[in-house]
Amino acid sequence: MKRVFIQAAEQISIQQPLSEQWMEHPESYSEPFIQAVNPSFRDYIAPNEVRRMGNLMRRALVTTLKVLNETGINNPDAIITATSTGSLDYTERLLDALTTDGEETLSPTYFMQSTHNTVGSALAIYTKTKGYNTTYSHGTQSFDDALLDAWMQMQLDKIRTALVGGHDEMIASYFELLKKAGYVGTPDMVPCGEVAMSMLVTTDKHTDNLCELASISFGQCPVTEEIDAVMTGINGQTANDIHYQQLLHSLFPGKPHLHYKHLFGENFTVSALGVYAAAHCLKKGYIPEHMYVTDSVRLEHSPRNILLVNQMSGQLSFILLKAL
């Protein structure tokens, strides 16, 4: 089996953007809905281009450019994107225009940038990448599927490098609908946030790689080795957290239990930030105290591996990351 590595990963979220400041000095919020902290987009994208892009596209492009600059890879073999909702902002603007103006004077911009595959295609155009390009829109499973696609194609020796990203935004009107449905905004739940995370996955081992992507699977836990820590997507909502608690009790009793949604919020593709956070913990050789669940045991040495568990309506995915 080919070894696969995460070479670099960057994020824009409700934490400080394009930074690992969350490891030492995390931002904390009491509001139920927080929009991402944007960097200065004009530091990375020409002002005339920034004006033509929505926030989802701007964030995806900036995290991508940062990752490609760090790795020195201008044209990855594949671009694999995960987004559950696409550009909600531009979708809402398109629908508002339809209801107010009919089909008489519609601008094509809102439609073109609201489709789910806009991010992946725009990244390909901007980076002049002509290889494999696909988008996964499978709800909370979107990023896990995108990462599995990259991993499998590397095992088949079809690609050596892949830009894999998870990108979703949130708007006030859609947040209110999700709140009414009980998906977000319930008492004791983490806030609803926004996600933009890009990473470069490669089969080439470099000293500056963040970690190894050792395995990824759905349904059954494939891990037979000793696990140092388990990171789950608990979010304070009983219906969500009970699946994780049952799994930890049956398969990993007494293991250090980590979480990340209290830092980055809840979102359809927030599992991308779980992988991002675990990769940086492995690279830096320690786990911040605030990433441990309150009653969890603590790891007494540098983490050798972290198993990420993502729950999607009772279905589980397992992503094992190893330190180099």
Side-chain angles (χ1 to χ4, degrees):
M1 187 171 67
K2 284 185 176 295
R3 298 182 71 185
V4 177
F5 306 92
I6 298 175
Q7 189 171 350
E10 293 289 347
Q11 58 81 25
I12 295 174
S13 68
I14 64 175
Q15 294 295 325
Q16 287 300 308
L18 309 176
S19 164
E20 285 77 63
Q21 182 177 317
W22 55 269
M23 294 189 73
E24 297 293 339
H25 305 288
E27 303 287 343
S28 61
Y29 302 94
S30 57
E31 299 90 341
F33 169 39
I34 308 294
Q35 292 188 303
V37 181
N38 288 326
S40 174
F41 293 120
R42 296 188 180 194
D43 291 344
Y44 301 89
I45 312 170
N48 63 316
E49 295 177 334
V50 170
R51 288 195 297 270
R52 294 197 299 266
M53 299 178 184
N55 270 330
L56 183 76
M57 189 63 247
R58 293 171 183 170
R59 294 166 184 164
L61 182 54
V62 167
T63 54
T64 292
L65 293 176
K66 190 80 159 49
V67 163
L68 296 183
N69 182 62
E70 290 175 16
T71 61
I73 296 175
N74 297 320
N75 307 112
D77 296 334
I79 295 177
I80 307 175
T81 307
T83 179
S84 179
T85 57
S87 177
L88 282 171
D89 181 27
Y90 276 30
T91 298
E92 184 178 57
R93 294 188 192 195
L94 172 67
L95 295 176
D96 284 345
L98 280 171
T99 56
T100 57
D101 303 327
E103 299 180 6
E104 301 299 322
T105 58
L106 290 177
S107 166
T109 302
Y110 294 153
F111 171 73
M112 290 188 296
Q113 292 203 30
S114 68
T115 58
H116 289 66
N117 62 354
T118 296
V119 172
S121 58
L123 293 179
I125 293 170
Y126 205 93
T127 62
K128 297 179 174 59
T129 299
K130 300 178 181 179
Y132 179 79
N133 191 315
T134 193
T135 297
Y136 285 88
S137 182
H138 297 168
T140 54
Q141 192 174 319
S142 300
F143 180 76
D144 306 64
D145 285 345
L147 192 60
L148 178 63
D149 187 350
W151 190 85
M152 290 178 66
Q153 291 206 55
M154 289 177 178
Q155 298 306 316
L156 294 171
D157 208 22
K158 291 186 175 182
I159 59 174
R160 291 176 53 247
T161 58
L163 177 71
V164 183
H167 309 284
D168 266 314
E169 63 183 357
M170 185 58 62
I171 56 176
S173 58
Y174 194 58
F175 167 77
E176 291 299 326
L177 291 174
L178 293 177
K179 184 178 179 181
K180 288 180 180 179
Y183 183 78
V184 295
T186 59
D188 301 320
M189 189 178 177
V190 301
C192 179
E194 297 184 299
V195 177
M197 195 288 298
S198 297
M199 64 170 54
L200 198 287
V201 182
T202 178
T203 55
D204 297 328
K205 186 175 182 179
H206 302 283
T207 56
D208 59 349
N209 286 348
L210 294 179
C211 65
E212 179 179 354
L213 174 60
S215 69
I216 175 170
S217 66
F218 291 84
Q220 293 184 336
C221 181
V223 178
T224 57
E225 63 189 89
E226 184 70 15
I227 296 299
D228 278 356
V230 182
M231 182 182 289
T232 71
I234 61 171
N235 63 11
Q237 191 177 61
T238 302
N240 173 76
D241 295 354
I242 190 170
H243 296 284
Y244 295 119
Q245 293 164 353
Q246 291 172 346
L247 179 136
L248 289 168
H249 178 74
S250 60
L251 295 183
F252 307 104
K255 290 294 181 183
H257 182 191
L258 314 178
H259 59 154
Y260 62 94
K261 289 185 179 180
H262 65 302
L263 297 173
F264 299 106
E266 181 61 272
N267 194 281
F268 291 113
T269 53
V270 73
S271 63
L273 290 173
V275 175
Y276 157 88
H280 280 281
C281 288
L282 291 169
K283 177 63 175 179
K284 293 182 182 295
Y286 74 97
I287 297 170
E289 177 63 26
H290 55 260
M291 293 193 70
Y292 286 98
V293 173
T294 302
D295 58 354
S296 168
V297 297
R298 271 48 175 174
L299 197 62
E300 296 181 355
H301 53 79
S302 296
R304 294 164 297 191
N305 57 60
I306 297 176
L307 178 67
L308 291 102
V309 183
N310 186 29
Q311 185 271 135
M312 304 144 289
S313 301
Q315 182 180 357
L316 297 167
S317 72
F318 300 87
I319 301 172
L320 180 63
L321 304 182
K322 289 184 180 180
L324 299 178

